[in-house]
């Protein structure tokens, strides 16, 4: 292999060439991992090599230890630990450290990332003790480029989300701080080095808690950061405010002294900085203050409610500073960029976000400050000020008491609705968004008779007038539909009188020739919301709407032949997805009343599935809608299975499209639940595909819980016929129950284990229901392992409500399956009683969870009392 040639090809803009190069590297790594690392490390360290080749070598080295999938990450790390000779490891690490000194900055950065990848493996194992010492020495004595690369290395190491490494880094806090503070001091003459140090300091703050607990060290760190806010270099100043932001989030309880002495003034001054990146981070500091104080108040209220005396320190920073900070935020609202895109995060949007948080943190105390600004600017000749006034009013709709806001909203609604006719589209858009905030947070202040007619008319007029307003108008309309929906299944609601006109308007908007696709999709989303929240007196309108939507979907089918570009395909797929989503909402709202349209719906769905190309997102939505139709028709859905099932089989076996495969697994659950025993002819194939997916190495672990849950749904559907699959499924469930959290406690692994246990419990729940009528003897070999898992759940505090609800169901069903008290010894265990009690008494749980726990308790009582009766007889 010509390594230069292969590395060059990995950077090619030509996809086949690039993929070929990446494949050759992957094969080389598989054949000889040690040689692969050595070759790449030498190329990275080679000062005679071209810069882009060195960069490619660094990327390949980093990628050799990088993957998003937790299990796969552990596999590649194990390969370094077990397959690479210690001498090779030593050589590769020395080459990487040597590269940090390269004058080629890109090579130094690549080496820094590679070193961080190895550090994630070796620091937790105490196998590279000299690394931090070397990096500190580089920062203290090295040339500027070596200092910069070494500081970047420390930053990359501290950025980690790896639990083992995070735990280990606290042991290196002195070395980390020595390096980064030395580089960040005002005495450092090189601004690039100082910037790298401030960046690394921001990344390391979480791991220096011991140092931060020491007042002397804390004072020095704060001094260095505060001085950095005045460095004159925008990068360093922005980084320093970023550090203050993180410190406030991590060490709020230690910030009182610094807020009083420096941070109030520094951050207000920073918010006024002409450089937007600096000002945004100063604004974000106050966002963090508000977020912390909102969280502290919530935590203290919860602790008080639970009778705890442990309260978090609360200093009221946001309230104390409101009269200095809020006027600056209001002024920053006037600095809009009229050319900004929807996703651009500028200073005006940062100020708006902060004002929203401020309102939540201090409540009604903000109202007079904001109202004075609104009154002063609402009729201003400059649209920036009008827009700021409207935005400011919308920002305070969450936080203050609704009773305080109510008279203000009633007074403001006609004005805001009038602002929808402003001559400037930005002002109209902000007015629509402010109306959406009112609908979302204080809808009780909207009088349906007085306000709804002009409000709905204004929002629909805005929707039709300019695509830039589509997002805000649609969001406001969806909030309206949601807030005025009434109780589920109600005969009428406040939207009913406007429903027909709204549907007509939305259909017209989506048909307009000049409407761009963004507007069209937004309008269909609103239509979806109106259908979902419709009262019973509008169901006849929804039934007629199904004809229109079906006709439009049918009209898209010939368009597949007219596609000439990728953009054409994207637009067509977006339209089809939106139409099918509306159909799904119609199906779910009409339920069994959709039956007259079912043949036509399935016919068009089959045609869509037959015409879409590979890698399309449309089948995902079709499968969701088919699931909705199966739920609505129940056993009557069986008439469509022969024509549909091969699409379902193909999706179940399509491991190259994980999203579609996941939808197919969920659809198997929907169909089997709906068809019951009529699904049995298809279950052999379903089970084969599901078991193959369970064994697959190309599908992520996240699929496994859904597959296990699907086993339970199939069992419940076909009842005693599930005996055919019990031995295989029982073994799978026993193996899955053995998966536990690793010592690092990574969040993604924690979520996976909880979800996996939910899936296991759901599977056993379905199997118990299926076999407890006449086939209970088949369950005997598995009972002990079920109780073993239940005990693990009882002992592990990491558990979800869904897991506990499923566990209660299994406890009850198992007792019901063996009514003579055969397993009374298990049921007499203290942990069973305690688990049921904890679930039954949790006030945060839904009523159905608590009811299931109560039922389980009764079944346990029956089990133990019946056992006693049997013994006495």
């Amino acid at each position: 292999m010509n390594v230069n040639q292969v590395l060059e090809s990995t950077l090619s803009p030509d996809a086949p060439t690039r993929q070929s190069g990446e494949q050759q590297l992957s094969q080389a790594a598989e054949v000889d991992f040690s040689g692969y690392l050595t070759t790449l490390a030498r190329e990275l360290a080679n000062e005679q090599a071209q810069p882009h080749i060195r960069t490619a070598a660094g990327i390949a080295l980093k990628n050799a230890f990088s993957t998003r999938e937790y299990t796969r990450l552990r596999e590649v790390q194990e390969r370094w630990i077990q397959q690479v000779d210690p001498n090779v490891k030593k050589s590769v690490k020395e080459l990487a450290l040597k590269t940090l000194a390269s004058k080629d900055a890109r090579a130094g950065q690549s080496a820094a990332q590679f070193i961080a990848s190895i550090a994630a493996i070796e620091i937790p194992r105490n196998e590279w003790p000299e690394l931090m010492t070397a990096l500190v020495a580089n920062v203290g004595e090295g040339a500027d480029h070596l200092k910069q690369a070494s500081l970047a290395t420390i930053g990359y190491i501290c950025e980690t989300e790896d639990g083992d490494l995070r735990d280990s880094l606290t042991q290196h806090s002195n070395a980390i701080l020595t390096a980064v503070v030395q580089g960040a001091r005002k005495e450092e003459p090189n601004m690039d080095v100082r910037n790298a140090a401030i960046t690394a300091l921001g990344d390391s703050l979480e791991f220096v808690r011991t140092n931060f607990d020491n007042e002397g060290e804390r004072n020095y760190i704060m001094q260095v950061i505060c001085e950095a806010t005045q460095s004159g270099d925008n990068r360093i100043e922005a980084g320093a405010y970023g550090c203050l932001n993180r410190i406030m989030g991590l060490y709020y309880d230690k910030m009182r002294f610094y807020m009083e002495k420096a941070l109030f003034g520094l951050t207000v001054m920073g918010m006024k900085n002409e450089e937007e990146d600096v000002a945004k981070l100063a604004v974000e500091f106050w966002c963090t203050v508000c977020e912390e104080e909102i969280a502290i108040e919530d935590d203290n209220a919860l602790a008080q409610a639970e009778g705890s005396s442990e309260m978090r320190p609360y200093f009221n920073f946001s309230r104390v500073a409101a009269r200095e900070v809020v006027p600056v935020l209001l002024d920053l609202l006037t600095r809009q960029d009229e050319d900004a895109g929807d996703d651009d995060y500028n200073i005006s949007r940062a100020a708006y976000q902060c004002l929203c948080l401020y309102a939540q943190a201090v409540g009604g105390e903000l109202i007079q400050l904001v109202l004075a600004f609104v009154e002063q600017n609402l009729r201003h000749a400059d649209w920036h000020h009008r827009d700021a006034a409207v935005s400011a009013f919308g920002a305070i709709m969450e936080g203050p008491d609704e009773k305080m806001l109510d008279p203000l909203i009633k007074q403001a609604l006609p004005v805001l609705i009038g602002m929808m006719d402003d001559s400037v589209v930005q002002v109209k858009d902000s007015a629509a968004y402010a109306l959406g905030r009112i609908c979302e947070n204080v809808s009780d202040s909207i009088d349906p008779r007085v306000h709804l007619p002009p409000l709905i008319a204004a929002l629909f007029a805005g929707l039709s007038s300019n695509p830039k307003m589509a997002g805000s108008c649609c969001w406001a309309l969806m909030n309206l539909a949601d807030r005025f929906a009434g109780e589920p299944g109600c005969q009428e609601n406040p939207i009913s009188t406007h429903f027909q006109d709204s549907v007509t308007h939305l259909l017209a908007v989506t048909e307009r020739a000049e409407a761009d696709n963004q507007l069209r999709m937004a309008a269909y989303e609103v239509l979806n919301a109106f259908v979902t929240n419709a009262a019973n007196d509008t169901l006849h309108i929804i039934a007629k709407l199904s004809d229109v939507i079906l006709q439009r979907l049918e009209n898209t089918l010939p368009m597949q032949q007219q596609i000439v570009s990728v953009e054409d395909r994207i637009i067509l797929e977006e339209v089809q997805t939106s139409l099918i989503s509306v159909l799904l909402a119609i199906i779910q709202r009409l339920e069994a009343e959709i039956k007259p349209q079912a043949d036509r719906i399935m016919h068009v769905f089959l045609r869509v599935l037959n015409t879409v190309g590979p890698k399309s997102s449309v089948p995902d939505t079709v499968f969701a809608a088919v699931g909705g139709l199966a739920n609505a028709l129940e056993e009557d859905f069986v008439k469509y299975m022969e024509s549909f099932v091969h699409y379902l089989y193909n999706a179940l076996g399509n491991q190259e499209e994980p999203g579609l495969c996941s939808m197919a697994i969920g659809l198997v659950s929907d169909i089997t639940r709906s068809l019951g025993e009529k699904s049995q002819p298809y279950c052999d194939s379903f089970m084969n595909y599901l078991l193959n997916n369970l064994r697959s190495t190309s599908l992520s672990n996240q699929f496994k819980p859904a597959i296990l849950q699907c086993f339970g749904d199939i069992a419940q559907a076909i009842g005693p016929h599930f005996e055919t699959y019990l031995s295989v499924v029982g073994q799978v469930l026993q193996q899955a129950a053995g998966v536990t959290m690793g010592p690092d406690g990574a969040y993604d692994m924690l979520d996976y284990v909880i979800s996996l246990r939910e899936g296991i419990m759901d599977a056993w729940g379905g199997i118990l229901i299926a076999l407890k009528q006449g086939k209970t003897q088949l369950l005997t070999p598995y009972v002990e392992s079920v109780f073993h898992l239940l005990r693990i759940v009882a002992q592990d505090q990491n558990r979800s409500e869904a897991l506990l609800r499923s566990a209660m169901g299994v406890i009850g069903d198992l007792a019901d399956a063996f009514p003579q008290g055969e397993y009374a010894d298990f049921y007499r265990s203290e942990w069973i009683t305690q688990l049921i009690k904890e679930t039954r008494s949790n006030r945060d749980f839904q009523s159905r969870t608590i009811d299931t726990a109560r039922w389980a308790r009764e079944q346990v009582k029956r089990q133990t009392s019946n056992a006693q009766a049997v013994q006495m007889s």
Side-chain angles (χ1 to χ4, degrees), residues 439 443-444 446 448 452 479-486 493-495 533:
C439 296
S443 57
D444 287 347
I446 300 173
L452 269 189
N479 283 334
L480 265 183
D482 184 52
R483 294 300 182 268
F484 289 98
N493 63 31
I495 298 292
N533 294 294

Side-chain angles (χ1 to χ4, degrees), residues 678-693:
K678 290 184 178 180
S679 63
Q680 190 188 345
Y682 309 100
C683 285
D684 280 354
S685 296
F686 287 159
M687 292 299 297
N688 284 332
Y689 280 112
L690 292 171
L691 288 166
N692 284 337
N693 288 339

Side-chain angles (χ1 to χ4, degrees), residues 32 55 58 92 124 155 241 250 257 296 334 341 390 554 592 596 718 742 786:
D32 179 8
T55 300
V92 167
Y241 282 115
L250 291 166
F257 171 77
I296 291 169
T334 67
V390 171
E554 288 164 348
I718 64 175
V786 173

